[in-house]
Amino acid sequence: MTGIGPERTDSPRRDPAGGGRAGGFALEDLRTKIGIVRDEFVDRHGYDPVEHIESWTAGAASSELAGIRITCGVNADVYRLRDLLAVRRDVRVVEARDYIRRAGPDGYRGLCLVVEVPVARSDGVRAVRVEVQIRTGVMESWEFVATRLHTGFADHLPPEMLDELGAAAERARDLDSRIGALHRRMEDRIAGAQEKAPPA
């Protein structure tokens, strides 16, 4: 949306080895691994943290990375999902940008990872890079509108609209914070009830 740079990297990334079909194979494999991570999360926490997941592929002649976007309910689950994915031996995180703790210049908040996934082919195993974006549903809504605005104005938004977009991002951050606090209270209550429960 705002271009690749030191402060924002959730725009389409470039694959130095090229995209194409290998990226599609890597996406299918990574979606399977994410499914396993979700199952593990359910076993640990009792619920599925993923609200929505979508992916995109790069054309055969394109050098852009294929990618997956994951939407979670709260920021705590964004980090938990990242951690479960990062410790897998068959996924290597080669780049990680945290825009939750330090927002992008336009106010965007989320995690952006570039991971390598091994793809087996007849000529051997190739490590293929895939972009993984993880953010909350609140930020997903903000990003949807922000992207349309930047596209509609060819990345030349009037100053007053940029200001309003930034203010909306701050309100989205506040809403995420409030929702996260409520979610923590619920988790604490569940954990307390489990501690008081008599042994089976």
Side-chain angles (χ1 to χ4, degrees), residues 36-58:
I36 296 171
V37 165
R38 292 171 71 176
D39 289 342
E40 183 178 351
F41 192 105
V42 171
D43 289 341
R44 288 189 182 187
H45 303 286
Y47 67 95
D48 187 348
V50 176
E51 294 182 347
H52 180 69
I53 183 169
E54 60 180 329
S55 59
W56 65 90
T57 57

Side-chain angles (χ1 to χ4, degrees), residues 26-158:
L27 272 182
E28 292 180 14
D29 189 40
L30 186 57
R31 287 186 73 109
T32 299
K33 299 181 195 313
I34 291 172
I36 296 171
V37 165
R38 292 171 71 176
D39 289 342
E40 183 178 351
F41 192 105
V42 171
D43 289 341
R44 288 189 182 187
H45 303 286
Y47 67 95
D48 187 348
V50 176
E51 294 182 347
H52 180 69
I53 183 169
E54 60 180 329
S55 59
W56 65 90
T57 57
S62 173
S63 61
E64 291 184 354
L65 290 181
I68 289 179
R69 182 178 298 111
I70 304 170
T71 305
C72 298
V74 293
N75 279 320
D77 288 347
V78 170
Y79 287 114
R80 287 168 173 169
L81 201 64
R82 176 206 60 186
D83 292 344
L84 286 172
L85 190 62
V87 297
R88 291 187 59 88
R89 295 181 179 179
D90 50 3
V91 176
R92 187 171 81 91
V93 178
V94 297
E95 184 179 344
R97 297 292 180 97
D98 187 339
Y99 297 107
I100 296 174
R101 291 190 168 91
R102 183 186 177 191
D106 56 358
Y108 173 83
R109 293 181 186 272
L111 296 184
C112 182
L113 313 176
V114 176
V115 304
E116 281 186 347
V117 179
V119 174
R121 302 178 59 146
S122 59
D123 56 351
V125 178
R126 173 185 171 190
V128 179
R129 293 188 176 187
V130 177
E131 181 178 356
V132 181
Q133 299 175 9
I134 316 176
R135 56 196 183 215
T136 65
V138 172
M139 186 49 61
E140 177 74 13
S141 297
W142 179 92
E143 175 72 359
F144 173 77
V145 174
T147 299
R148 292 197 65 187
L149 286 173
H150 279 279
T151 301
F153 285 87
D155 279 332
H156 296 289
L157 266 68

Side-chain angles (χ1 to χ4, degrees), residues 73-75 99-100 103 107-109 136-139 142 165-184:
V74 293
N75 279 320
Y99 297 107
I100 296 174
Y108 173 83
R109 293 181 186 272
T136 65
V138 172
M139 186 49 61
W142 179 92
L165 190 60
E170 283 302 305
R171 288 192 288 270
R173 181 195 63 81
D174 181 61
L175 180 57
D176 267 333
S177 178
R178 290 171 180 267
I179 292 173
L182 289 169
H183 188 262
R184 285 192 299 273

